[in-house]
């Protein structure tokens, strides 16, 4: 789904909507037709999906104290969204991001 940053007038649109992709680069905002019918050719995608499933189960198995520790650690890991706005992830998002990176590289 396309994401729209609302101001007095919509100034930025990024994402997909129906058959159109909205984005921007140094030249400004643009839109193009989305190529449909293409399969994901990344051979690692099924491995990554199984890693994310594994990590979601690990999160559910954490004690409340461990989950609270992740929730408290998020202030040290601010991120930027697609529009460049700073946001703080949730403890779950931080757990998934840091551990998925390690799993994807075989740690």
């Amino acid at each position: 789904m396309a994401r729209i940053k609302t101001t007095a007038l919509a100034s930025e649109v990024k994402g997909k909507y129906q058959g159109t992709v909205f984005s921007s680069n140094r030249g400004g905002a643009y839109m193009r037709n989305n190529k449909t019918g293409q399969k994901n050719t990344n051979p690692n995608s099924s491995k990554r999906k199984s890693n994310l499933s594994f990590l979601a189960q690990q999160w559910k198995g954490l004690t409340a104290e461990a989950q609270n520790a992740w929730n408290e650690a998020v202030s040290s890991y601010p991120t930027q969204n697609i529009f460049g706005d700073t946001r703080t992830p949730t403890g779950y998002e931080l757990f998934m991001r840091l551990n998925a990176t390690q799993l994807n590289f075989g740690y």
Side-chain angles (χ1 to χ4, degrees), residues 1-2 13-23 30-36:
M1 168 151 299
V13 179
K14 293 188 178 184
K16 297 177 189 174
Y17 181 72
Q18 294 181 344
T20 306
V21 176
F22 301 90
S23 192
Y30 68 91
M31 62 184 195
R32 63 176 171 79
N33 288 333
N34 189 20
K35 298 178 182 176
T36 58

Side-chain angles (χ1 to χ4, degrees), residues 33-47:
N33 288 333
N34 189 20
K35 298 178 182 176
T36 58
Q38 292 182 341
K39 291 187 177 184
N40 185 354
T41 57
N42 186 346
N44 296 323
S45 63
S46 62
K47 179 182 175 186

Side-chain angles (χ1 to χ4, degrees), residues 11 36 56 63:
S11 62
T36 58
T63 63

Side-chain angles (χ1 to χ4, degrees), residues 14-96:
K14 293 188 178 184
K16 297 177 189 174
Y17 181 72
Q18 294 181 344
T20 306
V21 176
F22 301 90
S23 192
S24 64
N25 59 23
R26 289 187 289 174
Y30 68 91
M31 62 184 195
R32 63 176 171 79
N33 288 333
N34 189 20
K35 298 178 182 176
T36 58
Q38 292 182 341
K39 291 187 177 184
N40 185 354
T41 57
N42 186 346
N44 296 323
S45 63
S46 62
K47 179 182 175 186
R48 288 183 180 162
K49 286 179 185 178
S50 84
N51 284 348
L52 290 176
S53 175
F54 170 77
L55 289 174
Q57 292 300 317
Q58 295 298 309
W59 173 262
K60 290 177 185 177
L62 290 179
T63 63
E65 294 82 20
Q67 288 183 0
N68 287 336
W70 280 98
N71 288 327
E72 292 172 8
V74 297
S75 61
S76 300
Y77 296 89
T79 61
Q80 289 187 343
N81 66 11
I82 196 168
F83 298 111
D85 300 329
T86 301
R87 66 175 290 275
T88 303
T90 65
Y92 174 76
E93 291 170 336
L94 181 62
F95 176 85
M96 295 295 283

